[in-house]
Amino acid sequence: MQPKNLILVPTDFSTRSLLALDQAIAISKQGDSEIMLLYVIHSDNKTFGFITEIFTAEENDLIRDKVEKQIWAKLDQLIEDKKDSGVVVKAMISKGKAYDKIVEVATSLNAQLIVIGSNSSNLEEHVGFLGSNTSRIIRASAVPVLTVSEKISPNIKTIILPLDLSKETQQKVAKAIRFARIHNAKIKIVSALLTNDPEIVKKLTIQMNVVHKFISQNYDNCTADFVFGDEKEDTLGGLIMKFAKEKKGDIIVIMTQQENKLVRFFIGQTAMDIVFNSDIPVLSVTPVELNLSSYR
């Protein structure tokens, strides 16, 4: 029987995946969750492909068994290292393409959240198979994905909620409220603009007021702000990350965008900028049908 609240933490034992585990533990303490560590022996592993051509099938099986035992030893050591955290940590190994298996396991275990170490925009820092698969996991997952890059948020006190004119904003708001309730955190709504176009400002102001009113009716710790930048010098993602840093944000909640109602999603440019460059954790939410007026 699976726990009611399960957080999936894929690991490749890289520094950032270990950082993701620490973040998951911090969240688990506040949300009464268990953690499942997942290591994926990916099917396109070059080492396994190489030894298949060199050694006999019997020798190849022995080498695979040895590698898997080494992986289990590392997973068991991680569990041992975190035994005093007060959080239940378990582990499993799966085989296949990393991003497919992570999404598949999250669904099969009914995970509430995936926490993963993200890659950097610096190509030299794309270390480990998880780093190179970050965007694929976010695009493919129906489960919210929290990416961790430079540091963790031990206590989530401030949630940054960027708004735009997309319909998916409604779902992002609902997720932010649920997350805020779990952690008793404040929500800071922000709309970033690179223009003073009166029509765009008017539309965002109306939306800001609607969202602010809705959150205030369902959750009483919320503020709203606009930030303006120069189209030639700034980016929307840069403005949002700057705002998050100034307001001491602990998590930024963003929405991946849907394309032609396909099962898989793509990441918009601003979302990609934030996921890959934010030094604080980023929660990516995939869109589903939702209406603010019917939110529970």
Side-chain angles (χ1 to χ4, degrees), residues 210-221:
V210 169
V211 173
H212 191 197
K213 180 180 179 181
F214 173 77
I215 293 179
S216 298
Q217 289 173 341
N218 290 274
Y219 189 76
D220 59 5
N221 198 347

Side-chain angles (χ1 to χ4, degrees), residues 254-293:
I254 64 170
M255 178 67 71
T256 58
Q257 299 179 27
Q258 192 171 17
E259 183 178 26
N260 299 325
K261 297 184 178 179
L262 295 177
V263 174
R264 292 181 181 258
F265 304 90
F266 68 93
I267 304 178
Q269 185 60 48
T270 298
M272 187 181 296
D273 185 12
I274 294 171
V275 167
F276 291 165
N277 294 300
S278 173
D279 61 351
I280 68 172
V282 179
L283 181 65
S284 299
V285 180
T286 53
V288 294
E289 290 302 318
L290 180 69
N291 190 306
L292 284 180
S293 61

